[in-house]
Amino acid sequence: MSVSRAAVRPTAVRRKVESWLAEKDDADAIVLLARPQWTDEPVLTVGGRTVRVVPCPTPLAARAALADRPPHEKLVLLTDLTDSELGDGLLAHVSLQTGRSVDPWDLVSQAFGGQVRPDSTLVRAGRWVADALTDLAPAEGWPPPAGTILTRDHAMRHLAGTVLGLEPDGLDAAGLLQWSADAPAQMRLGELPAEWIEELGGFLVDVAGPVAVPVLAAVRAGHGIDAIPLGLLAGVLWPRDSAQASDVELAVARTRLEPRFAGARLTETQAWAFTEAAEAWIYRALDDESVRLDAHRMLRRAEEIAGEIAVTGRLGASDLLPAGFTQRMRAFGSAVRLALPVTGAVVVAGDLIEQAQERLAEVEAHRSADRPRVETARMAVRLLRWLAAPGQPPPATMLEGVHRQIREDGWVDRARLDVFAGDVDQQVAEAYRALHRAVDVRRARHDREFAELLQDTTSAERDPGALLRVEDVLDRVVQPILDHGRRILLLLLDGMGAAAGIEIAESLTRGGTWTELTPQGGHRTGVLAALPSVTAVNRCSLFTGVITVGDRNDELKGFAARFPDGMLLHKADLRTPAGLAVDPEVAAAIEDPAVPLVAAVINTIDDALDRSDPGVVEWNTDTVKGLRYLLAVAQDRVVVLVSDHGHVVDRGSEAVLARSDSSENRWRPATGDPDDGELRFHGSRVALGGGQVILPWREELRYGPRKAGYHGGASPAEAVVPLLLFASGDDQVVPGWAGAPVASPDWWREPVRRAVRDDRPAAAAPPSAPVRPSPRTRPRLVVQDESLFDLPVPAPVVPTPPPPAGPPPPVDPASALVEALLASPVYADRRGSRAPIPDERVAAMVTALLAGNGRATLETLATRADVPVHRISATFTALRRLLQVEGYPVLSLDPDGRTAKLDIPLMIEQFVLAPS
């Protein structure tokens, strides 16, 4: 009696025939026990042999097939008859004289090499997987497993990898998204039986994680090619912020997105995984030039879909979408406008600056950020913090005026140049314009104070004292260094003001080859130009040592008279033939021990005032022509950078063309009375106009033809130039000079933080944990004959009166924690065997980190601990080694390479400190 059997798949028949032919059986036919139906092609070609498949519901049909068989064909008889029903006479003509079952798992074993057996978990997956493994097996078969057991993971990975066109080890979220970008590959999946697709999807969720759910749902809905853009939008529609998660607008947008997932509603876990995988794909693609265009296409498509579901206004939540960066920049611009001081306010509200800082952090975190625009945004926040700083009294001396420009206002100038250049977005640009106006109000007040002080100093012929003037540089800076046996490369960067000097100094020290030195290791100082602040006056005065007017020949003559063994080079001397970065004669002079002083004039900055736009150039060793190459051959010399004057940039539509009897841009003869924004100057340091000129102190005034920038006036940006000194390696190479501290003011690098102000007196440190002042911060009486030039004697320290009687004030928690750390036995044990850092420096750095809730820049640590900026990396490493108990990362450095992070709870645990 026949048995009800399942229909056999064409691939299964082929696999059984392949196995039969491999046996080298001489029989002409094989009986396969299966339902006797066949809808595929009746004739197959297997291994070069012609094989006919014949359904045989009766013994007669089987005999007829054998009788009609052409000699060159093999037969496959499909029947559900038993051997007894077929009869011995017929079976005598078939392989093995019996019918063979078509077991799908036997076929699977055969496809994997024939020597393996499926494990129970694979069999329990169902008949579908056997059929799929049989139907989709490559011609050479599946790669066999390592042992004799065919595991579910091995079989399914190879099956899914073949279906998706991925390597078996690439079945992760990244691989799945990569597959989704391939439309033909998705079509191949859609051609499979629905059961196979469903079961494969379940396996992919197991190996690729929850991201497989939305990707496969999008494929089923016909939107698989948009999987990556949809993943990017998932980060917007399913924010991790619980406060936004219940947002009605977002809920509506998710509903509008459901049709693109075949009606499926994503869970938060699936959406978050989807976003992480999509963003990771974009990150990799943006870093790979070969697929970068694909990444940008995906970003644009995500924004298109956002428009289609009316959620464009929420794209600011995305760290990747360009529209998100635009929205973040606009939010930042709004925060800047809110933080600007209102009319009559003395300073900006700190909480509003904090909001601007938070918006800036969001802008900085955006992967599609335009880096120059981000840098301008940073400058805007710095200017807000400067505006928030309480105003200082006007400088009482010319030295104080010079130092305010070098140490404070020069940094303002650097930042406002970026803000003046503006932003391409009109909303942000308006905020920057308002900020620039607010900065100009204070900056103009400083400019006037400086100019009035300069007017008084010049006309009164006051003794300079510690003030360095342009005519003093050779006598009071260069000559003492030469007297100590050090050779010098003096570079006069024509037109370099304080703002440009800041950028150039940073670029020199960034690589670690050059160390900046300052007088006694204190703050930078500057040089006061002669008047008017033009090249013909100041350059000649610098090289001759007296106030005079002259050209190149006068400079060479005066320099040679003072330094007969030296060499002065001008622009023509620095030109080089093809292939040479430094003229051989110039290089030979710099390397020659017999030439103690080599001076060179580099005109790049001054030239830019006429021929380009100095306001948008970042001045550094690359943009100042020839500077890098001269420094490369001068590493055994002390390098002195100075200028003859600074400059102001053209103010565009705000510029004012004032009346003048001459064509000079920033000075005019003293005919008539000064107008608004001008002052009259006279004295021995006024080298033109017969010793009397009218100079503008307002930056927007000019008298001559329009250029990109100007100099000659009495603003500190023109009349004050930085004095920068560098040595390669040794910071003690010049007596009287030492490694420089952090040059930037606090508002440049320190964010405004919310803090509860307590006006009560601070608690005194307990005797067990004294914090001694660093020797570098103690008042120093300067001995005149040991100093390079006069420095002001500090005022005597007035003892603080004792606090009034009463209950002791509460102890500051941070101070208590630092005291506990220094008193900890664990600290004492490690301190005895680790790099010796004075306790006061440890206390200062830990206190700074605690004040920042565990974070502080290296520059902040250097400032608080009174460490020269070039030594802070080594000091930080020593502190990290000291605090890193048993290798735990109590102190670490962020990937930015400049922000330290203190794990406060871990420090408390490792040093057994009682938290306050």
Side-chain angles (χ1 to χ4, degrees):
M1 181 178 179
S2 63
V3 179
S4 176
R5 299 184 184 276
V8 67
R9 300 177 65 82
T11 309
V13 170
R14 180 175 287 276
R15 297 290 177 259
K16 293 297 288 187
V17 171
E18 288 173 352
S19 178
W20 168 40
L21 296 178
E23 296 169 3
K24 301 188 184 302
D25 188 346
D26 293 334
D28 295 322
I30 182 174
V31 172
L32 297 183
L33 302 177
R35 184 179 302 165
Q37 65 181 49
W38 185 256
T39 58
D40 206 39
E41 290 294 328
V43 178
L44 308 177
T45 300
V46 181
R49 302 294 301 272
T50 300
V51 180
R52 182 179 296 274
V53 181
V54 182
C56 300
T58 64
L60 182 61
R63 291 189 182 94
L66 287 171
D68 296 338
R69 180 188 69 84
H72 64 281
E73 285 186 353
K74 295 278 189 178
L75 287 181
V76 175
L77 307 179
L78 297 181
T79 185
D80 55 359
L81 301 172
T82 64
D83 283 358
S84 61
E85 290 173 323
L86 289 171
D88 291 341
L90 186 148
L91 292 176
H93 298 282
V94 303
S95 174
L96 301 181
Q97 290 79 50
T98 186
R100 303 190 188 197
S101 65
V102 187
D103 187 321
W105 295 107
D106 288 343
L107 297 176
V108 169
S109 296
Q110 175 186 333
F112 280 92
Q115 304 299 317
V116 298
R117 60 184 179 85
D119 70 1
S120 58
T121 58
L122 178 59
V123 174
R124 283 198 300 270
R127 170 68 181 266
W128 78 271
V129 70
D131 291 341
L133 286 168
T134 301
D135 279 12
L136 301 179
E140 67 278 9
W142 297 108
T148 59
I149 302 299
L150 178 61
T151 64
R152 175 178 179 269
D153 183 73
H154 182 85
M156 292 291 287
R157 277 189 178 275
H158 284 84
L159 176 60
T162 295
V163 169
L164 302 183
L166 298 173
E167 292 295 326
D169 293 335
L171 296 176
D172 53 13
L176 200 57
L177 282 176
Q178 184 64 46
W179 166 77
S180 76
D182 184 350
Q186 292 182 39
M187 292 177 62
R188 289 195 295 272
L189 176 68
E191 293 169 355
L192 298 179
E195 182 188 10
W196 294 15
I197 297 174
E198 187 69 25
E199 296 293 344
L200 279 172
F203 174 75
L204 289 171
V205 172
D206 292 343
V207 295
V211 69
V213 174
V215 171
L216 294 176
V219 171
R220 286 196 300 272
H223 294 282
I225 198 68
D226 284 336
I228 294 172
L230 290 170
L232 298 176
L233 284 181
V236 176
L237 302 185
W238 280 269
R240 292 182 182 270
D241 183 354
S242 58
Q244 294 185 41
S246 57
D247 189 304
V248 174
E249 183 182 356
L250 292 182
V252 172
R254 291 184 207 127
T255 302
R256 291 174 180 155
L257 206 62
E258 285 178 9
R260 299 171 192 266
F261 296 113
R265 181 170 296 178
L266 303 188
T267 66
E268 284 187 337
T269 300
Q270 291 166 350
W272 294 343
F274 195 18
T275 297
E276 289 175 3
E279 290 181 346
W281 189 94
I282 293 289
Y283 289 150
R284 289 192 299 271
L286 288 173
D287 291 334
D288 185 345
E289 188 173 353
S290 64
V291 291
R292 192 171 298 153
L293 290 177
D294 290 336
H296 289 295
R297 178 173 55 81
M298 299 293 185
L299 294 171
R300 288 193 301 272
R301 179 57 184 151
E303 293 180 356
E304 290 173 3
I305 297 173
E308 293 167 4
I309 63 173
V311 76
T312 299
R314 306 301 289 264
L315 295 184
S318 170
D319 285 335
L320 272 173
L321 297 177
F325 175 68
T326 298
Q327 291 180 17
R328 292 187 187 189
M329 281 296 297
R330 290 177 177 173
F332 170 73
S334 298
V336 169
R337 291 186 70 95
L338 286 174
L340 290 175
V342 296
T343 303
V346 179
V347 295
V348 183
D351 57 342
L352 295 179
I353 296 180
E354 277 194 286
Q355 292 178 24
Q357 290 173 167
E358 290 167 0
R359 301 292 83 74
L360 172 63
E362 293 167 358
V363 167
E364 291 175 324
H366 203 282
R367 176 60 190 255
S368 297
D370 182 328
R371 294 303 151 190
R373 294 178 67 192
V374 173
E375 185 59 25
T376 301
R378 292 191 187 109
M379 295 298 182
V381 167
R382 286 164 171 161
L383 291 176
L384 285 176
R385 293 199 292 250
W386 178 69
L387 290 171
Q392 299 299 317
T397 67
M398 197 70 253
L399 179 64
E400 290 180 9
V402 168
H403 282 170
R404 180 167 70 175
Q405 176 63 17
I406 293 296
R407 301 171 185 177
E408 189 88 8
D409 287 355
W411 296 84
V412 176
D413 292 345
R414 179 186 177 189
R416 68 178 176 147
L417 282 172
D418 281 8
V419 171
F420 181 82
D423 193 88
V424 295
D425 187 282
Q426 289 301 309
Q427 295 181 35
V428 181
E430 285 299 321
Y432 286 170
R433 186 177 180 185
L435 172 61
H436 197 272
R437 284 197 299 266
V439 170
D440 268 1
V441 170
R442 178 183 283 194
R443 217 31 207 86
R445 184 170 69 249
H446 286 194
D447 286 353
R448 179 168 192 126
E449 292 168 355
F450 176 89
E452 290 174 344
L453 190 59
L454 179 60
Q455 181 190 44
D456 175 70
T457 301
T458 304
S459 61
E461 302 286 353
R462 300 191 187 281
D463 184 88
L467 174 67
L468 266 178
R469 303 167 304 178
V470 68
E471 64 268 30
D472 301 327
V473 171
L474 294 182
D475 279 343
R476 297 176 60 185
V477 178
V478 173
Q479 190 61 56
I481 298 174
L482 295 175
D483 290 344
H484 282 95
R486 302 300 308 180
R487 294 182 299 136
I488 295 176
L489 174 63
L490 173 66
L491 298 176
L492 188 145
L493 305 186
D494 197 346
M496 177 182 68
I502 290 166
E503 295 177 337
I504 292 168
E506 286 180 353
S507 71
L508 256 70
T509 56
R510 192 175 295 131
T513 300
W514 295 98
T515 299
E516 183 180 359
L517 309 182
T518 51
Q520 309 298 335
H523 291 290
R524 285 178 187 163
T525 191
V527 176
L528 183 67
L531 302 177
S533 52
V534 295
T535 299
V537 172
N538 283 279
R539 206 162 77 190
C540 198
S541 298
L542 187 147
F543 285 127
T544 61
V546 295
I547 298 297
T548 187
V549 181
D551 57 14
R552 175 179 180 274
N553 292 329
D554 298 310
E555 294 164 13
L556 289 169
K557 183 178 178 180
F559 181 85
R562 299 176 63 83
F563 302 100
D565 295 331
M567 175 181 286
L568 174 58
L569 307 166
H570 287 81
K571 180 190 291 187
D573 305 312
L574 297 175
R575 292 195 177 102
T576 59
L580 293 176
V582 180
D583 183 87
E585 292 185 6
V586 173
I590 293 175
E591 296 168 358
D592 189 350
V595 182
L597 173 61
V598 175
V601 177
I602 300 179
N603 299 91
T604 307
I605 299 174
D606 196 52
D607 288 347
L609 304 181
D610 288 330
R611 303 169 191 169
S612 59
D613 189 351
V616 298
V617 177
E618 180 181 347
W619 298 113
N620 53 47
T621 54
D622 290 321
T623 55
V624 177
K625 185 177 180 181
L627 180 57
R628 175 183 296 278
Y629 305 120
L630 289 172
L631 293 172
V633 296
Q635 293 186 17
D636 59 344
R637 287 180 180 260
V638 174
V639 174
V640 177
L641 296 185
V642 73
S643 183
D644 45 359
H645 56 76
H647 66 268
V648 294
V649 299
D650 182 75
R651 302 298 289 270
S653 59
E654 300 171 5
V656 176
L657 179 61
R659 64 180 181 85
S660 174
D661 297 331
S662 73
S663 60
E664 299 294 338
N665 273 294
R666 287 281 291 176
W667 71 274
R668 64 186 179 92
T671 56
D673 295 326
D675 292 329
D676 182 38
E678 299 176 327
L679 290 173
R680 185 188 303 273
F681 292 81
H682 66 89
S684 62
R685 297 194 76 247
V686 178
L688 295 173
Q692 187 169 198
V693 294
I694 290 177
L695 304 178
W697 56 267
R698 292 196 68 92
E699 293 186 357
E700 62 266 30
L701 291 180
R702 64 180 173 86
Y703 306 118
R706 169 158 280 172
K707 297 182 179 181
Y710 317 97
H711 59 91
S715 74
E718 300 162 279
V720 176
V721 296
L723 174 67
L724 304 170
L725 193 144
F726 302 90
S728 180
D730 187 359
D731 65 352
Q732 302 295 320
V733 69
V734 180
W737 297 71
V742 173
S744 57
D746 287 347
W747 54 263
W748 184 266
R749 62 182 184 278
E750 298 293 334
V752 171
R753 302 184 189 280
R754 288 188 178 90
V756 178
R757 299 186 182 278
D758 190 345
D759 296 327
R760 293 169 295 190
S768 60
V771 179
R772 299 179 297 277
S774 166
R776 290 171 55 85
T777 61
R778 294 173 184 158
R780 186 196 304 271
L781 293 178
V782 180
V783 180
Q784 185 67 31
D785 60 357
E786 292 182 354
S787 129
L788 289 179
F789 40 84
D790 300 345
L791 295 174
V793 177
V797 178
V798 179
T800 303
V811 177
D812 175 56
S815 299
L817 191 59
V818 172
E819 291 172 7
L821 172 68
L822 298 182
S824 162
V826 178
Y827 175 85
D829 180 62
R830 294 186 64 75
R831 179 132 179 24
S833 59
R834 297 299 182 276
I837 309 177
D839 285 354
E840 58 267 25
R841 282 194 172 157
V842 174
M845 288 189 283
V846 174
T847 299
L849 287 160
L850 292 175
N853 197 28
R855 301 178 72 83
T857 65
L858 293 183
E859 287 188 341
T860 295
L861 298 184
T863 302
R864 299 293 182 265
D866 198 24
V867 175
V869 66
H870 72 283
R871 292 183 180 171
I872 187 57
S873 293
T875 303
F876 172 79
T877 299
L879 179 65
R880 180 164 57 181
R881 196 160 48 238
L882 177 66
L883 298 182
Q884 206 138 304
V885 181
E886 298 178 357
Y888 286 96
V890 174
L891 185 64
S892 58
L893 193 64
D894 271 1
D896 65 5
R898 55 184 298 270
T899 305
K901 181 179 180 182
L902 176 68
D903 189 327
I904 300 173
L906 185 57
M907 180 183 75
I908 292 172
E909 176 186 343
Q910 293 299 310
F911 287 90
V912 199
L913 310 178
S916 332

